[in-house]
Amino acid sequence: MLQLRLAEPADWPAIWSVLEPTFRRGDTYTFATDIPEDEARSLWLNPRLATYVACDAQGAVLGTYVLKANQPGQGAHVANCGYVVSDAARGLGVASAMCEHSQREAVARGFLAMQFNFVVSANAPAVHLWQKLGFAIVGTLPGAFRHPRQGFVDAFVMYKQLQPA
């Protein structure tokens, strides 16, 4: 059974073991592929974010996500999230569970909508999952992502209303 909870500082080594392979591949996130661990930690465990972990029954971290306001001030009613699943847990429903959990958490925190600012078009499994979970592609950023194997590919802006405005 998957448990989703707020991350604690002691979770960092396990979180990094999930993030590092994804960041190093450079095919889904814009972080530098050689991002130092301390920089990744300060970004992912930033106090302005709500950072969560998805753990299996034994407490092993299978995925992590961050939840924040997409923009300050007049845009702060729209949430933004970033999700990463460990390579070993891909295809087990972890991303789906984290996305559904993040939407509930966003509503509980007063957000009215959720926006993903930069979904790499070549990440077909993510695009498909977000659409399945009700997110629409509302914009395309032509050639905005430099994919390590495919060259310049589009990035999508995806959006979902969570509660009536």
Side-chain angles (χ1 to χ4, degrees):
M1 175 171 201
L2 198 62
Q3 176 195 6
L4 290 122
R5 62 170 173 79
L6 282 167
E8 300 171 2
D11 292 319
W12 176 251
I15 292 171
W16 181 236
S17 74
V18 171
L19 296 178
E20 184 179 22
T22 298
F23 291 176
R24 299 286 181 246
R25 271 192 303 274
D27 59 359
T28 58
Y29 272 87
T30 60
F31 295 112
T33 57
D34 62 350
I35 186 171
E37 180 180 353
D38 60 336
E39 185 179 336
R41 180 184 177 128
S42 70
L43 291 169
W44 206 261
L45 293 182
N46 187 311
R48 293 180 307 228
L49 307 176
T51 303
Y52 294 83
V53 289
C55 303
D56 67 14
Q58 291 73 40
V61 174
L62 303 178
T64 181
Y65 79 87
V66 293
L67 171 65
K68 64 179 182 174
N70 190 52
Q71 299 293 329
Q74 300 305 93
H77 61 285
V78 178
N80 176 265
C81 287
Y83 312 87
V84 181
V85 175
S86 72
D87 290 341
R90 292 196 191 284
L92 301 179
V94 176
S96 180
M98 289 193 303
C99 186
E100 290 170 342
H101 184 267
S102 70
Q103 291 176 67
R104 290 189 302 273
E105 288 295 307
V107 168
R109 291 169 182 262
F111 290 106
L112 303 178
M114 188 173 285
Q115 179 172 318
F116 303 149
N117 297 322
F118 206 90
V119 180
V120 176
S121 63
N123 188 358
V127 173
H128 175 76
L129 178 59
W130 305 151
Q131 289 177 316
K132 179 180 168 186
L133 294 174
F135 289 82
I137 295 171
V138 297
T140 300
L141 308 171
F145 184 76
R146 187 177 52 228
H147 194 281
R149 291 174 306 286
Q150 298 179 29
F152 293 100
V153 299
D154 297 347
F156 298 136
V157 178
M158 301 185 78
Y159 190 85
K160 180 179 181 180
Q161 197 79 31
L162 299 176
Q163 3 178 17

